[in-house]
Amino acid sequence: MANYDVIIIGAGPGGYVSAIRCAQLGLKTAVVEGRETLGGTCLNVGCIPSKALLHATHMLHEAEHNFADMGLKGKTPSVDWPQMKSYKSDVVGQNTGGIEFLFKKNKIDWIKGWASIPAAGKVQVGDDVHEAKNIVIASGSVPSSLPGVEIDEKIVVTSTGALELPKVPKKMVVIGAGVIGLELGSVYARLGSEVTVVEYMDAVCPGMDKDVQRTFKRVLEKQGLKFIMGAAVQGVETTKSKAKVKYQPKKGGDEEMIDADVVLVATGRKPYADGLGLDALGVKMTERGQIATDAQWRTNVPGVYAIGDVIEGPMLAHKAEDEGMAVAEVIAGKHGHVNYGVIPGVVYTTPEVATVGATEDALKAEGRKVKVGKFNFMGNARAKAVHQGEGFAKIIVDAETDRVLGAAIIGPAAGDMIHEICVAMEFGASAEDIALTCHAHPTYSEAVREAALACGDGAIHA
């Protein structure tokens, strides 16, 4: 078998990005991946296919609700669900094929199969044992479930099954009001499903800025989603074609029941390292089942590193990518760096929701004195022109230094606009720095500048 400088286990965003950076730094690199295509969960059954469906159903929403107002007259399009799924699959194929091209371009070997690590410096795939000076575990995560909820990917589905339903259900119950549940719930609501979201906590997207939580829930309710908050799911009963979701108010009360054609379990994800042989290898794990690493992504076993969803931190593709590049730099003898304080999070609904840094409540709980600048998109000319005047941009700064500590945006293109604030935070910028930067008119980004102005003497268009 060939000897490598680096073998990476897993070809998701963390793994494939790490492999490319390793190859660019002159390291002989291989990636072990058992799927038929590269890209991991994100490209195959996660981020990318869900964005295709979000886009397609947003276009449907525009045709149904806004075209006539804009003078676009005609019959409202009907939904060809098999064709929409085919479009989604084409998008996935283009992206996974692109990674295969990048592997060939960078002379990265794809070892097809499932890996185990029988000893430090050795990776077994099938009957073959490959040797590597360094091993990077980037095996990702899988959907987690609840006690009493058995997933069959037909009636009770995870995000994977929700992307491949044979038909649009009349009634869908989503367990969990996090990013995945709200994105896919909004897809099916636009397609005509009656969507009810059952959430244990008292707010959507737990941990997010409270202003955003309130506005976000209200907007989604206007779009037809129903919410049952503060409810603990007790179990799901299924027949051949239906399901009943049992839940109990966490404040007390009788058990209640809700009918569904499909139940989407969106209660988060858990690290996946099954079959790698980490116990026998002696790899230290955290109490939450993650691989324990130091500041250079090293495990306690020499030459074995870990990145992405399988270690601590937010389970985000771009966090894994950053770690993938950084660990490659470390292995090549350079300095790898990830600024965990500036990792944006985005919900790709309409409107989009994007956050970065600390929340107002978290900073106040620490005893920090802060100023908050907020600007509503109803004051933004471009947003109003495209029927997206709901939402706001919000910037939180240190009251004494004016340094930007965090931000939240709910509105059009929030997922793209948040990066202006990310760059500002990387440079230690103040709100005044953003406010003094000329922004093109008319753009959505002017709302960010207005929020920055609101941290000082006041926004112009508020």
Side-chain angles (χ1 to χ4, degrees), residues 173-233:
V173 170
V174 179
I175 303 175
V179 175
I180 294 169
L182 297 181
E183 285 186 357
L184 290 173
S186 69
V187 163
Y188 282 100
R190 291 178 201 151
L191 290 169
S193 299
E194 184 184 310
V195 177
T196 303
V197 182
V198 182
E199 168 59 46
Y200 181 76
M201 303 300 283
D202 296 320
V204 301
C205 295
M208 197 179 273
D209 179 272
K210 284 186 178 177
D211 287 344
V212 169
Q213 289 175 329
R214 285 189 290 267
T215 301
F216 194 20
K217 181 171 176 282
R218 187 175 69 245
V219 169
L220 291 175
E221 284 173 332
K222 284 172 69 176
Q223 293 177 10
L225 277 76
K226 297 175 184 174
F227 289 89
I228 300 171
M229 308 303 290
V233 171

Side-chain angles (χ1 to χ4, degrees), residues 6-225:
V6 187
I7 292 179
I8 296 164
I9 298 171
Y16 85 75
V17 167
S18 187
I20 292 168
R21 176 60 88 223
C22 284
Q24 289 173 339
L25 294 172
L27 301 169
K28 187 178 181 183
T29 307
V31 174
V32 183
E33 175 56 61
R35 286 182 193 266
E36 292 300 312
T37 51
L38 300 170
T41 294
C42 178
L43 269 72
N44 288 280
V45 291
C47 322
I48 302 305
S50 63
K51 300 312 156 285
L53 292 182
L54 281 159
H55 175 68
T57 57
H58 175 59
M59 294 297 100
L60 175 66
H61 173 87
E62 290 293 282
E64 289 175 339
H65 297 279
N66 293 329
F67 274 15
D69 185 49
M70 293 186 285
L72 300 170
K73 302 294 177 78
K75 187 181 176 184
T76 302
S78 59
V79 175
D80 183 335
W81 179 234
Q83 178 58 36
M84 191 178 286
K85 289 197 293 182
S86 176
Y87 152 71
K88 174 204 63 164
S89 298
D90 288 345
V91 170
V92 170
Q94 290 171 34
N95 281 278
T96 56
I99 297 171
E100 201 164 344
F101 164 77
L102 290 171
F103 271 30
K104 289 173 182 172
K105 176 185 172 185
N106 289 283
K107 298 181 174 58
I108 298 163
D109 290 344
W110 176 7
I111 303 169
K112 296 186 180 182
W114 303 106
S116 62
I117 309 171
K122 297 183 185 298
V123 175
Q124 184 167 346
V125 183
D127 294 329
D128 299 329
V129 177
H130 306 267
E131 294 194 2
K133 294 173 189 171
N134 303 280
I135 298 167
V136 179
I137 300 168
S139 49
S141 61
V142 292
S144 57
S145 189
L146 294 170
V149 180
E150 194 170 324
I151 291 163
D152 58 16
E153 295 295 13
K154 292 176 182 176
I155 296 173
V156 183
V157 300
T158 64
S159 54
T160 303
L163 293 166
E164 289 295 340
L165 293 179
K167 63 180 181 180
V168 177
K170 287 182 180 177
K171 288 186 175 184
M172 172 181 272
V173 170
V174 179
I175 303 175
V179 175
I180 294 169
L182 297 181
E183 285 186 357
L184 290 173
S186 69
V187 163
Y188 282 100
R190 291 178 201 151
L191 290 169
S193 299
E194 184 184 310
V195 177
T196 303
V197 182
V198 182
E199 168 59 46
Y200 181 76
M201 303 300 283
D202 296 320
V204 301
C205 295
M208 197 179 273
D209 179 272
K210 284 186 178 177
D211 287 344
V212 169
Q213 289 175 329
R214 285 189 290 267
T215 301
F216 194 20
K217 181 171 176 282
R218 187 175 69 245
V219 169
L220 291 175
E221 284 173 332
K222 284 172 69 176
Q223 293 177 10
L225 277 76

Side-chain angles (χ1 to χ4, degrees), residues 303-321:
V304 179
Y305 300 77
I307 60 168
D309 286 4
V310 82
I311 69 170
E312 288 184 330
M315 290 185 169
L316 297 168
H318 43 283
K319 176 258 197 186
E321 289 179 344

Side-chain angles (χ1 to χ4, degrees), residues 372-422:
V372 175
K374 192 173 172 184
F375 184 79
N376 293 321
F377 276 100
M378 278 306 294
N380 181 274
R382 177 78 184 280
K384 283 190 288 192
V386 298
H387 299 93
Q388 291 206 48
E390 291 182 297
F392 56 84
K394 175 179 177 178
I395 298 176
I396 305 109
V397 302
D398 185 279
E400 294 174 3
T401 65
D402 197 40
R403 184 169 180 160
V404 179
L405 303 176
I409 306 173
I410 175 166
D416 291 288
M417 286 194 292
I418 198 70
H419 298 108
E420 173 179 6
I421 298 167
C422 293

